[in-house]
Amino acid sequence: MSDSVTRSINSAVQKTYEWLVDVEQELHTDDRQVAYHALRAVLHALRDRLPVEEAAHLAAELPILLRGLYYEGWRPSHKPEKLDRDEFLARVAETYDASPTLDPLWLTHAVLAVLDKRVAAGEMSDVRGTLPKDFMELWPA
C-alpha cells in the first residue's frame, strides 16, 4: 500500500475517533461503545427524517467512515419518514444498541451538539430548517 493511501486511511480513522471523543465528552463518559451507538442511533433517525437531498448534503459533511455508518441500511425511496419529535426519540431509543440504556433525549442532545461543532453552520441551518419547530427542542440550549 502506498504511503498516500495509508495516510488517507489513517486520517479517516483519526477523524472518526475525534468525532467519537466529542460524543463521549458530551455524554460525560469514557465508553467509546456508548458514544458509537449514540452517534449511530441519532444519525440514522435524523437521516430518515430528512428529505433525501438534505440527508445527502449532511452526509457530505461527515468524515468518510462516518458517512458509511450514516448510509448503512438506508432506503431513500422510503424517505423522509414523517416522524414527530416523540417518534424521533423513540426511533433513537430503538436503534441505540448498547448498555447501559440511556435517555434518548440526552443521546440526541449530545450528538446534535457534536454536529453543531463539526458540521458547517450553513448546513446545520439547512437541517434545522427542514424539521418541524418542536424538533428545535432536541438541540442543546
Side-chain angles (χ1 to χ4, degrees):
M1 198 179 309
S2 76
D3 284 344
S4 66
V5 172
T6 301
R7 280 193 301 276
S8 293
I9 291 169
N10 288 341
S11 175
V13 170
Q14 180 61 36
K15 288 176 185 175
T16 300
Y17 279 136
E18 290 169 4
W19 278 63
L20 289 170
V21 166
D22 285 351
V23 175
E24 286 178 49
Q25 290 173 344
E26 290 292 331
L27 291 173
H28 307 289
T29 183
D30 60 358
D31 190 329
R32 183 82 26 102
Q33 182 174 349
V34 167
Y36 169 82
H37 286 285
L39 185 60
R40 181 179 180 273
V42 174
L43 283 177
H44 281 189
L46 187 59
R47 170 203 73 192
D48 291 346
R49 181 59 182 87
L50 293 172
V52 171
E53 187 172 335
E54 190 56 46
H57 288 168
L58 177 58
E61 297 278 333
L62 301 174
I64 194 163
L65 294 179
L66 292 181
R67 197 173 313 143
L69 171 77
Y70 180 81
Y71 280 126
E72 174 189 24
W74 192 42
R75 299 174 65 143
S77 62
H78 300 103
K79 306 300 179 244
E81 294 181 25
K82 298 297 183 184
L83 305 171
D84 65 26
R85 179 186 175 278
D86 292 336
E87 291 168 330
F88 181 90
L89 292 172
R91 176 72 58 86
V92 169
E94 174 185 307
T95 307
Y96 176 78
D97 186 28
S99 182
T101 300
L102 299 174
D103 174 30
L105 180 58
W106 188 48
L107 297 173
T108 301
H109 278 301
V111 172
L112 292 178
V114 172
L115 287 174
D116 275 346
K117 174 182 174 182
R118 295 213 168 251
V119 172
E123 179 55 34
M124 289 311 296
S125 178
D126 291 348
V127 166
R128 284 188 181 97
T130 65
L131 298 170
K133 290 186 190 241
D134 66 343
F135 272 63
M136 296 314 106
E137 300 167 9
L138 298 176
W139 266 267

